[in-house]
């Protein structure tokens, strides 16, 4: 092939997309079965048949998602037969595929598996009662939103990130409004759509401005274009165009992860959406959006974090400090006044976003970037399963009482002590009580934020932020304990809840098993999340932060004092089976 020939598609890259292809195809199958074979059937019959068919689809996708992990971590060769694409993970552990648009690294593979497991629980929860007549469309949209989430976590450049983000959210807009017999559901879908469309427009403007400043949409190339050549990291000082791009992008991400002041949609959307959809917005959507946020901030915009040793000077870390403090404080205090379970969990999710931003900031300034980023990924997993169980309780209330009031849980501990005990453990994990996984998630994040190897001013800023987080964790106990008080200290009224059934009991029990298991033995998950965090902060085995040692055992190259550090051309590029050289990055001008 001539040197200047156009690059061609490598069809082995589709090996990475097998889970996404299964879910996309299964959505079409469910839709065709509903409109064809089940045409004229009763609503409960369609719900059961399509629900079981959807569960089968999630099982197939889960098998497809776990196969690359088995091949990657296989030391015996027993699972090599699953590697039908012929990838050599020993030589290239983090391939970048499809013209450098998506990645096939351990982060992508791990979160593909996590999202399929969570989707299975949400689909199972959806079979509990008939909240809609359009079951084929509902399950198809849930599958397609998951495809968007998976591709979002795999995105390696801005255009793919935006398209997958919108694929995810458009499906969720529609799912939010599916409970048509209740006025609040279409109203919630409309509010979610209006806020989302505005934030997407601002987000796209920020992405286009960043592209104009750097000349590339690839995260690696953006980092090369923005990094200081002489090691003098001035953050965003004097760069008005850069400040504008970062602020607009944080508006978009702030909406997706529901942080103050971009949270206004969350309480209404959480309350109005069917409980399984609310669970999927609070878990799958937040997981994918946080991973994308961390990739952009820690990878692409790492040089714009902050001026060296000055956290609150111009840079994205100073903005994130404010967002984190506001989200933790407002979310927890607003939740204190709630009597509706789903609205309380909505404000709780806002507060948890604030906690996770502490870990993001720690990864931005710490010399232990891999550990800090891994602690956030660990917390995301624990938070997701805890919330799946909590929203299964909301689904139980909606099925039997048609409401979401906390008072409807009165006496649950006397009638169903086993499930009530599971709910108790989930609430304690969300508070952060030992020895449950929620406690260790907060502990790891806050300890990385307090790492003594950081610069003095960075450590002081993060110390008071961690202190604020601890105070807010105490505040959160008051509204979580309200749920426990209703279950164990109040007698049931005349109307009691019917048995949960497997569709609600299984998500609650499995979520409880996760928070107990990873609370008693968190090391395996924590090590996996640390490994998954490497692609966020490294390029071809070298950390993206200047002056930090590579995590693969390579010593840093010594640079004589006064000698300029090598420019972008001297840096190796992260190449996969279909990677192609990118054009030389354009330095970002100061406006």
């Amino acid at each position: 092939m001539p040197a200047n020939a156009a690059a061609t598609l490598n069809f082995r890259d589709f090996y990475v997309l097998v889970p996404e292809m299964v879910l996309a195809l299964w959505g079409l199958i469910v839709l065709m079965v509903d409109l064809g074979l089940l045409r004229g059937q009763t609503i409960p019959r369609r719900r059961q048949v399509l629900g079981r068919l959807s569960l089968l689809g999630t099982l197939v996708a889960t098998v497809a998602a776990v196969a690359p992990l088995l091949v990657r971590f296989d030391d015996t060769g027993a699972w090599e037969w699953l590697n039908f694409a012929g990838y050599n993970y020993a030589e290239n552990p983090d391939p970048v595929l499809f013209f450098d648009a998506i990645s096939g690294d351990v982060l992508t593979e791990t979160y593909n598996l996590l999202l399929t497991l969570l989707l299975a629980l949400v689909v199972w929860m959806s079979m509990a009662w008939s909240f809609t007549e359009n079951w084929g469309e509902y399950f198809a949209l849930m599958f397609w939103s998951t495809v968007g989430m998976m591709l979002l976590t795999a995105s390696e450049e801005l255009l793919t990130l935006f398209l997958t983000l919108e694929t995810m959210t458009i499906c969720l807009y529609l799912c939010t409004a599916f409970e048509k017999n209740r006025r609040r559901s279409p109203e919630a879908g409309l509010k979610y759509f209006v806020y989302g469309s505005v934030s997407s427009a601002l987000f796209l403007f920020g992405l286009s401005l960043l592209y104009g400043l750097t000349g590339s949409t690839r995260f690696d190339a953006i980092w090369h274009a923005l990094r200081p050549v002489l090691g003098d990291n001035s953050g965003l000082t004097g760069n008005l165009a850069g400040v504008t791009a970062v602020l607009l992008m944080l508006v978009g991400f702030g909406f997706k992860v529901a942080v103050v002041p971009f949270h206004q949609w969350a309480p209404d959307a959480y309350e109005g959406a069917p409980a399984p959809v609310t669970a999927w917005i609070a878990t799958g959507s937040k997981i994918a959006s946080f991973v994308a946020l961390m990739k952009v901030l820690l990878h692409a915009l790492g040089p714009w974090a902050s001026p060296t040793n000055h956290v609150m000077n111009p840079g994205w870390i100073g903005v994130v400090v404010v967002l984190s403090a506001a989200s933790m404080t407002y979310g927890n205090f607003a939740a204190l006044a709630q009597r509706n379970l789903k609205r309380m969990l909505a404000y709780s999710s806002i507060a948890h976003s604030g906690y996770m931003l502490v870990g993001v900031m720690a990864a931005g300034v710490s010399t232990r970037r891999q550990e800090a980023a891994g602690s956030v990924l660990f917390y995301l997993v624990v938070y997701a399963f805890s919330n799946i169980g909590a929203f299964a309780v909301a689904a139980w209330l909606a099925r039997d009482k048609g409401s979401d009031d906390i008072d409807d849980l009165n006496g649950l501990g006397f009638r169903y002590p086993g499930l009530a005990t599971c709910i108790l453990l989930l609430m304690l994990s969300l508070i952060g009580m030992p020895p449950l996984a929620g406690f260790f998630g907060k502990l790891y994040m806050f300890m990385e934020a307090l790492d003594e190897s950081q610069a003095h001013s960075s450590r002081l800023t993060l110390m008071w932020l961690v202190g604020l987080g601890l105070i807010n964790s105490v505040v959160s106990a008051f509204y979580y304990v309200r749920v426990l008080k209703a279950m164990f200290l109040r007698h049931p009224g005349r109307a009691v809840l019917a048995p949960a059934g497997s569709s609600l009991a299984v998500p609650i029990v499995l979520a409880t098993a996760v928070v107990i298991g990873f609370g008693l033995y968190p090391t395996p998950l924590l090590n996996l999340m640390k490994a998954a965090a490497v692609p966020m902060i490294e390029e071809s085995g070298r950390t993206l932060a200047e002056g930090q040692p590579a995590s693969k055992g390579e010593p840093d190259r010594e640079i004589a004092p006064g000698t300029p550090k090598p420019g972008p051309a001297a840096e190796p590029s992260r190449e996969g089976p279909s990677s192609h050289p990118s054009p030389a990055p354009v330095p970002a001008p100061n406006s």
Side-chain angles (χ1 to χ4, degrees), residues 504-549:
L504 296 177
V506 169
I508 294 174
V509 173
L510 287 181
T512 306
V514 169
V515 300
I516 294 176
F518 289 125
L520 297 177
Y521 194 46
T523 305
L525 179 61
L526 185 61
N527 289 338
L528 180 60
M529 293 300 103
K530 288 179 182 178
V534 171
M536 291 181 174
I537 58 178
E538 290 195 354
E539 182 189 34
S540 297
R542 292 189 70 250
T543 54
L544 290 175
E546 292 293 344
Q548 295 183 25

Side-chain angles (χ1 to χ4, degrees), residues 169-423:
T169 50
I170 288 173
C171 293
L172 295 178
Y173 297 154
L174 297 173
C175 289
T176 301
F178 254 71
E179 201 168 4
K180 299 177 184 177
N181 60 339
R182 305 182 71 179
R183 181 177 177 181
R184 67 180 188 179
S185 182
E187 180 184 347
L190 181 61
K191 288 182 179 179
Y192 192 10
F193 168 72
V194 171
Y195 280 115
S197 58
V198 173
S199 70
S200 296
L202 297 175
F203 184 61
L204 182 59
F205 186 33
L207 296 182
S208 62
L209 188 55
L210 182 62
Y211 169 72
L213 290 171
T214 60
S216 178
T217 60
R218 289 183 53 223
F219 296 161
D220 288 344
I222 291 172
W223 177 79
H224 280 308
L226 300 182
R227 71 174 189 149
V229 177
L230 298 179
D232 181 18
N233 189 351
S234 59
L236 286 169
T237 303
N239 190 348
L240 181 59
V243 170
T244 305
V246 168
L247 291 178
L248 290 174
M249 293 171 66
L250 286 177
V251 169
F253 279 125
F255 169 82
K256 305 303 180 185
V257 302
V259 296
V260 175
F262 314 112
H263 67 283
Q264 296 94 337
W265 62 275
D268 292 330
Y270 278 43
E271 181 183 9
V277 177
T278 308
W280 198 223
I281 295 173
T283 57
S285 172
K286 182 158 288 192
I287 286 174
S289 299
F290 248 104
V291 171
L293 168 69
M294 293 172 69
K295 276 190 170 185
V296 171
L297 294 184
L298 300 178
H299 190 158
L301 302 183
W304 278 354
S306 67
T308 306
N309 299 338
H310 295 85
V311 170
M312 293 305 293
N313 280 8
W316 60 258
I317 283 186
V319 180
V320 174
V321 166
V322 177
L323 296 180
S324 174
S327 299
M328 285 189 292
T329 306
Y330 177 81
N332 281 311
F333 279 93
L336 288 173
Q338 304 305 315
R339 295 294 181 267
N340 181 282
L341 179 61
K342 288 204 288 186
R343 289 187 74 88
M344 185 200 79
L345 292 173
Y347 284 108
S348 166
S349 74
I350 295 170
H352 282 280
S353 295
Y355 299 143
M356 286 183 271
L357 287 179
V358 176
V360 174
M361 287 179 292
V365 300
S366 175
T367 56
R368 292 166 47 89
R369 304 184 74 211
Q370 179 179 346
E371 289 78 5
S375 69
V376 180
L377 298 180
F378 178 92
Y379 193 86
L380 276 171
V381 175
V382 174
Y383 165 84
F385 279 101
S386 300
N387 270 267
I388 285 288
F391 282 107
V393 179
W396 196 357
L397 294 176
R399 185 196 68 179
D400 291 350
K401 294 197 173 184
S403 69
D404 311 306
D405 292 337
I406 296 175
D407 291 340
D408 291 331
L409 293 171
N410 288 351
L412 188 69
F414 301 102
R415 187 169 178 85
Y416 305 108
L419 285 179
T421 302
C422 290
I423 298 168

Side-chain angles (χ1 to χ4, degrees), residues 17-79:
L17 291 184
V18 171
E20 289 91 333
M21 291 189 293
V22 168
L23 291 177
L25 178 62
W26 217 273
L28 292 174
I29 293 174
V30 168
L31 199 56
M32 289 189 293
V33 169
D34 184 39
L35 298 177
L37 298 178
L38 298 180
R39 191 179 184 88
Q41 297 289 326
T42 62
I43 294 175
R45 171 67 177 168
R46 290 169 51 228
R47 183 188 78 234
Q48 290 300 321
V49 173
L50 294 175
R52 290 168 183 167
L53 181 61
S54 299
L55 279 177
L56 178 61
T58 60
L59 176 61
V60 174
T62 301
V63 172
V66 78
L69 286 171
L70 292 175
V71 175
R72 179 183 291 273
F73 294 109
D74 180 27
D75 295 328
T76 63
W79 298 102

